[in-house]
Amino acid sequence: MEQSHTRKPWIIPNLLAQGVKVVKTVIEQMEPLGYSQTAQFAVRLALDEAMANAIRHGNNNDPTKHVTIEYHITEEQLQISICDEGDGFKPEQVPDPTLDENLERPCGRGVMLMNAYMTKVTFNDKGNCVTMIKRKDCPLPYVSEED
Amino acid sequence: MAENDSRLTIETSDDITLVGFLDRNILEEATIQHIGDQISDIIDATPNPRILINFDNVDHLSSAALGMLITINNKVRHKSGQLRLANINTQIYEVFAITKLNKLFQIHSDAEKAMQSFK
C-alpha cells in the first residue's frame, strides 16, 4: 500500500518560528517516502521562502494573523499550499533579480528560487496563496552551462 | 538576540578578517540580521576592509541570507574593500548560480585560494 502524509488545514500563528516548525515537519515526512537529499534541499529552500513571504510580506509580520498550510505527500510527489491573510501580490510584477541592474538589490529572490527548485508553482488570483508541487523524479534545479 | 550571542567565528590574519559560521543553517531572520550587523561593524571599523567569509559546514541558506551578503558586498565596495567567499558546497553554490550571484561575488573553492586572491 502506498504511503502518504496529509495535513489539512494546518493553521499557525503568524510567527517565523512557527514557519520553521512547518518546514521541519514536512521535510521529516519526505525522507521515509524515499525523497533524495537533493529533493529535500529543494523543498526546504522553497518552503522557507514561501513561509517567509507569507509571514513577513503577506501578513506584514502581524502576530494576530495566521498562515494556513495544506499538504499531501505521496511516494510520487509533494503538494503544499500556503495561504496568508494579506492583500496578495502579482508575482509576475516582481522584477527579475537575475538581470544585471538588479543583482545588487538585496531583496526579491524568494519567488524566483521557489520556481527554480519546485516542479510547479502557482498563485491564486488574489496572490495570497501559493501552491507548490515537487515531483520526486523532477531534476530541477537546472543551471545552464553558461551560468 | 543578545549582543554577545554571536553566530560567527571571527579571526584576523594578514589584515584579512576571516569570518565563519557556527550554524549549518542560515535561515532565521533574526540570526541573519545579527550576522549582517556584526560584519557591518567590522567594515565600519576598517578603512579598506578585506573580508573572507568561509561557508565551510553551511548546508542551507535563504534568500534573506543572500540579501545580507549583497548588503555586505555593497558596503565593502563602498569603502574600496575586498570581499571573498569560500568553501561553498555544491548545493549552495547552485543557489548562487541560479540567482546569478556567482557573477557578483568572488567565490573561491577553498579559503587558501581566497586568501591568495586578495590584492
Side-chain angles (χ1 to χ4, degrees), chain A residues 12 45 70 107 111:
Chain A
I12 61 164
L45 187 77
E70 294 188 15
C107 301
V111 173

Side-chain angles (χ1 to χ4, degrees), chain B residues 4 9 11 30 45-46 48 53 57-58 60 66 80 86 91-93 98-99 106 110 117-118:
Chain B
N4 60 357
T9 60
E11 300 168 34
T46 316
N48 300 108
I53 303 181
N57 295 324
V58 174
H60 289 275
L66 294 176
S80 302
Q91 283 186 320
I92 303 275
Y93 184 81
I98 287 167
T99 52
Q106 284 204 32
D110 59 58
S117 75
F118 282 102

Side-chain angles (χ1 to χ4, degrees), chain A residues 6 15 18 23 28 30 33 35 83 134 136 143 145:
Chain A
T6 302
L15 299 168
Q18 294 288 319
V23 177
E28 283 175 354
M30 289 176 69
L33 294 176
Y35 286 82
C83 300
K134 181 71 176 180
K136 189 193 272 183
V143 185
E145 285 297 316

Side-chain angles (χ1 to χ4, degrees), chain A residues 92-121:
Chain A
E92 65 275 13
Q93 290 178 2
V94 177
D96 181 351
T98 65
L99 296 178
D100 284 348
E101 62 264 34
N102 294 331
L103 277 185
E104 292 183 18
R105 293 176 58 158
C107 301
R109 290 175 179 79
V111 173
M112 186 258 176
L113 286 171
M114 288 155 58
N115 279 312
Y117 279 88
M118 298 299 270
T119 311
K120 189 177 180 188
V121 178

Side-chain angles (χ1 to χ4, degrees), chain A residues 26-77:
Chain A
V26 171
I27 299 300
E28 283 175 354
Q29 294 185 348
M30 289 176 69
E31 189 163 11
L33 294 176
Y35 286 82
S36 67
Q37 200 272 333
T38 304
Q40 290 176 52
F41 178 90
V43 170
R44 179 169 194 162
L45 187 77
L47 273 187
D48 275 324
E49 298 300 334
M51 292 304 305
N53 278 351
I55 293 167
R56 289 168 54 200
H57 302 303
N59 283 343
N60 216 8
N61 281 322
D62 182 344
T64 66
K65 292 187 173 178
H66 296 84
V67 178
T68 302
I69 301 106
E70 294 188 15
Y71 65 81
H72 184 57
I73 315 172
T74 69
E75 292 176 2
E76 282 76 42
Q77 71 172 35

Side-chain angles (χ1 to χ4, degrees), chain B residues 1-110:
Chain B
M1 190 170 288
E3 193 62 31
N4 60 357
D5 190 13
S6 175
R7 306 312 305 156
L8 298 174
T9 60
I10 298 171
E11 300 168 34
T12 305
S13 173
D14 295 334
D15 289 331
I16 296 167
T17 304
L18 311 173
V19 178
F21 297 98
L22 293 177
D23 300 307
R24 303 188 79 87
N25 302 324
I26 308 170
L27 300 168
E28 293 183 34
E29 197 169 354
T31 305
I32 292 167
Q33 176 78 43
H34 191 60
I35 289 170
D37 289 347
Q38 265 193 286
I39 301 176
S40 291
D41 287 346
I42 294 168
I43 297 166
D44 292 343
T46 316
N48 300 108
R50 302 200 299 169
I51 297 175
L52 164 56
I53 303 181
N54 192 333
F55 284 77
D56 197 19
N57 295 324
V58 174
D59 289 335
H60 289 275
L61 51 71
S62 63
S63 67
L66 294 176
M68 176 267 290
L69 291 170
I70 291 166
T71 301
I72 294 297
N73 189 51
N74 291 341
K75 287 183 177 178
V76 168
R77 285 173 50 185
H78 187 67
K79 292 195 79 174
S80 302
Q82 298 170 58
L83 176 68
R84 305 287 187 266
L85 312 183
N87 273 325
I88 297 177
N89 77 26
T90 307
Q91 283 186 320
I92 303 275
Y93 184 81
E94 211 161 48
V95 177
F96 279 84
I98 287 167
T99 52
K100 293 201 167 43
L101 291 175
N102 56 339
K103 296 199 301 189
L104 186 70
F105 294 106
Q106 284 204 32
I107 301 175
H108 296 269
S109 55
D110 59 58

